[in-house]
Amino acid sequence: MAHAPHQLGQAGEAAAADHFLSLGYEVLARGYRHGRAEVDLVLRLRAELLVFVEVKTRSSGQFGTPETFVSARKKELFRLAATHLQEELDWRGDIRFDIVALTLLNQGFRLEHFEDAFY
């Protein structure tokens, strides 16, 4: 089951969105962009929590630790996009930055969800 990297990433984002929907989250945006920053998923849990998710999809289990998935520059851009969206939505609730790591298996993905992955 060969996937081009772009297709693999899109399939991973879709699987991550489905995961969050099944947990009762609302998907506000996929591929939210602000300037050079992109947030893979923006979710809301009821009225109290806004979650910004970086989705990392790999075709094998050669991961390393979750913290290594996201560079300092990426985190900085992520925070900029999050700040912009909070202002746009006039958001007063809590926010959280998560990482979802997906590994391609024969049947779908193995999904690992890291809440509060960075600040």
Side-chain angles (χ1 to χ4, degrees):
M1 189 160 94
H3 284 287
H6 180 71
Q7 287 176 308
L8 182 64
Q10 285 188 323
E13 285 180 26
D18 289 346
H19 167 74
F20 283 106
L21 287 169
S22 75
L23 297 174
Y25 289 80
E26 178 186 356
V27 177
L28 296 184
R30 286 171 68 164
Y32 173 79
R33 296 188 81 85
H34 173 64
R36 295 180 59 197
E38 183 181 355
V39 178
D40 294 328
L41 294 173
V42 180
L43 312 161
R44 182 170 58 205
L45 186 60
R46 295 180 293 280
E48 66 253 14
L49 182 65
L50 200 59
V51 184
F52 298 86
V53 183
E54 174 69 10
V55 179
K56 290 295 183 186
T57 309
R58 297 286 180 263
S59 56
S60 75
Q62 310 303 307
F63 267 132
T65 59
E67 307 81 77
T68 64
F69 300 164
V70 184
S71 69
R73 176 71 180 139
K74 177 77 177 180
K75 290 176 189 175
E76 186 184 320
L77 288 170
F78 213 75
R79 281 190 288 268
L80 279 172
T83 300
H84 181 263
L85 186 60
Q86 282 177 270
E87 289 168 5
E88 211 174 83
L89 297 172
D90 194 26
W91 184 257
R92 299 278 180 247
D94 291 333
I95 68 163
R96 191 177 77 206
F97 297 107
D98 290 4
I99 296 173
V100 170
L102 295 124
T103 308
L104 190 61
L105 304 172
N106 288 334
Q107 302 292 317
F109 293 99
R110 184 182 81 217
L111 184 145
E112 294 175 276
H113 178 197
F114 304 94
E115 292 188 8
D116 281 319
F118 58 92
Y119 300 92

